[in-house]
Each structure stands twice: as C-alpha cells, then as structure tokens.
Amino acid sequence: TQLLEQSPQFLSIQEGENLTVYCNSSSVFSSLQWYRQEPGEGPVLLVTVVTGGEVKKLKRLTFQFGDARKDSSLHITAAQPGDTGLYLCAGGGPDTGNQFYFGTGTSLTVIP
Amino acid sequence: NAGVTQTPKFQVLKTGQSMTLQCAQDMNHNSMYWYRQDPGMGLRLIYYSASEGTTDKGEVPNGYNVSRLNKREFSLRLESAAPSQTSVYFCASSGNLVGAGADTQYFGPGTRLTVL
C-alpha cells in the first residue's frame, strides 16, 4: 500500500538552479516528515510539519504542509552539489498507531 | 549518545541460512521499527513495536520475526533466508519532538544483506 506519492522520481539540475519536490497523499496525516538520505547511510530527518498551511525554512530549503494536511512540498533555492541525495517524505505518528508511511523518494543530483 | 545502532553492517548468506539483525537505541524511545529498502520501492515497514512488550506486523512481514528484548533493543530474525530478502535493512526509533507535538523517527546506518 503506497499512501504517499512523490514527484519527480529523479531530478538532475545544475548548481544554482531552484527546484521543487512534491509529496501527495489521499490520506490526512497529523504530521509529515522530510528526510534526506545519502548513499550508504540511513535517512536523516530534515523537518517535521504539523499544522495545515505551515511553512518552515531550513537555510535554502523551504517546506510547506498543505492546508488539508494531505500534501507537502520541498523547495530548494540555489541548489548546491551538497544537496545531492534521496529525499523522502513520510507521514504518520500517534494517529496511525505509531506507523509511518514513506514515499518512494526523489533522487536529486546537483551538477557542479 | 550514539542514537540508533545496527549490527552487522554487511552480511552475505546462502539460501536457507538464518541470521539475526540487532538494533539498539539510547534515546529512551518507546517505539522501534524495522524497514527494508529496495530500489524504486522506498522504505517498507516489516515489523514495529509501539512499546516494550508489543510487536505488530507491517506491510511486508512474511519471512521475518522480531523480538523486543527490552526498551532499548529490537531484533529482526530471518529464519530461512531467500534471495528475495536481499535488501538494505534499517532500524528506526521514534519519540516525541519537544514542543512540536509530533513523533518522528531516527534511523540507524543500515545492514546490507545479500542472499545467494
């Protein structure tokens, strides 16, 4: 059961460009998390969004939670090679019995 | 504070062999999870333990068993390994974010398993 869909699946851009990654669901979640995973490592949490319409900024990364709490986006401004990695969204927590559901991920490559 | 640790990091098995993957967390989290990650499939939940003494099946539990040994440790056992179980296995734990009112997960570095 794939509750969360991410797009695009792959993204290759030049350093300095902007990009947006989307995470969509037909289900409502009390929170959504964004993770970044580098090759050979486990996912590392970037941010958790909790409130519908919430916007959080982490340096050049901007995260938005949809008003209906079914979707989220990640926008990166002026991408750098260090942003390269697999970006995963996940939803869940106490409202889903402490189960978390992951999207299939967006593989980002930033070319110097 | 090591977070979530997993052993081993790499393992090669022959079909039919058994093994146990170990996971421990030092963050006093109640919930722990085992996932597998395959190309193009994302992270899929195998089993989870919402609290010490309880375990529940996730999306892909067949061929696996788990034990929540205590609050810190959660192990995953393959009784008779099959090539379809070749994957990267991640353990995670979750606890409340202070002030955020939401649980989030912290992952271990993974175990790369190959079944021949």
Side-chain angles (χ1 to χ4, degrees):
Chain A
T1 303
Q2 193 62 53
L3 297 182
L4 290 164
E5 292 193 2
Q6 287 185 242
S7 61
Q9 189 175 356
F10 299 96
L11 192 54
S12 182
I13 62 172
Q14 295 289 331
E15 181 176 1
E17 292 184 348
N18 301 331
L19 67 116
T20 302
V21 175
Y22 299 94
C23 174
N24 296 299
S25 173
S26 57
S27 301
V28 175
F29 291 101
S30 61
S31 66
L32 276 180
Q33 300 87 39
W34 282 95
Y35 294 82
R36 181 168 66 211
Q37 184 180 19
E38 299 189 14
E41 304 289 334
V44 175
L45 178 71
L46 295 173
V47 77
T48 297
V49 286
V50 179
T51 306
E54 181 177 7
V55 176
K56 282 191 174 179
K57 288 197 170 187
L58 187 66
K59 297 184 180 178
R60 294 175 295 100
L61 279 61
T62 302
F63 303 86
Q64 186 161 6
F65 201 11
D67 290 341
R69 293 186 292 141
K70 291 183 177 181
D71 52 81
S72 182
S73 64
L74 158 60
H75 182 79
I76 301 179
T77 303
Q80 298 178 0
D83 295 327
T84 293
L86 180 67
Y87 289 81
L88 295 160
C89 67
D95 58 322
T96 55
N98 276 355
Q99 285 199 64
F100 291 83
Y101 300 92
F102 280 81
T104 51
T106 294
S107 180
L108 171 65
T109 302
V110 181
I111 304 166
Chain B
N1 189 339
V4 180
T5 56
Q6 292 183 236
T7 56
K9 288 193 174 183
F10 300 94
Q11 184 70 49
V12 178
L13 295 176
K14 295 181 179 179
T15 297
Q17 288 185 316
S18 62
M19 78 161 295
T20 300
L21 283 65
Q22 307 286 354
C23 174
Q25 53 92 9
D26 62 2
M27 295 174 282
N28 200 36
H29 286 167
N30 286 321
S31 301
M32 298 185 72
Y33 310 80
W34 277 105
Y35 293 91
R36 59 178 290 173
Q37 187 175 36
D38 303 290
M41 301 291 288
L43 284 157
R44 292 184 292 169
L45 183 64
I46 304 171
Y47 270 94
Y48 69 105
S49 171
S51 61
E52 185 179 356
T54 68
T55 60
D56 287 286
K57 295 179 180 179
E59 182 183 357
V60 288
N62 291 344
Y64 305 95
N65 285 301
V66 290
S67 295
R68 183 75 182 267
L69 304 171
N70 47 56
K71 192 171 186 178
R72 290 187 64 248
E73 299 172 286
F74 189 38
S75 62
L76 178 71
R77 183 161 177 83
L78 286 70
E79 290 290 352
S80 179
S84 61
Q85 293 178 304
T86 293
S87 187
V88 182
Y89 291 85
F90 288 100
C91 176
S93 68
S94 71
N96 289 334
L97 285 178
V98 175
D103 281 353
T104 192
Q105 295 181 91
Y106 298 86
F107 285 83
T111 295
R112 283 139 193 86
L113 174 66
T114 301
V115 183
L116 303 174

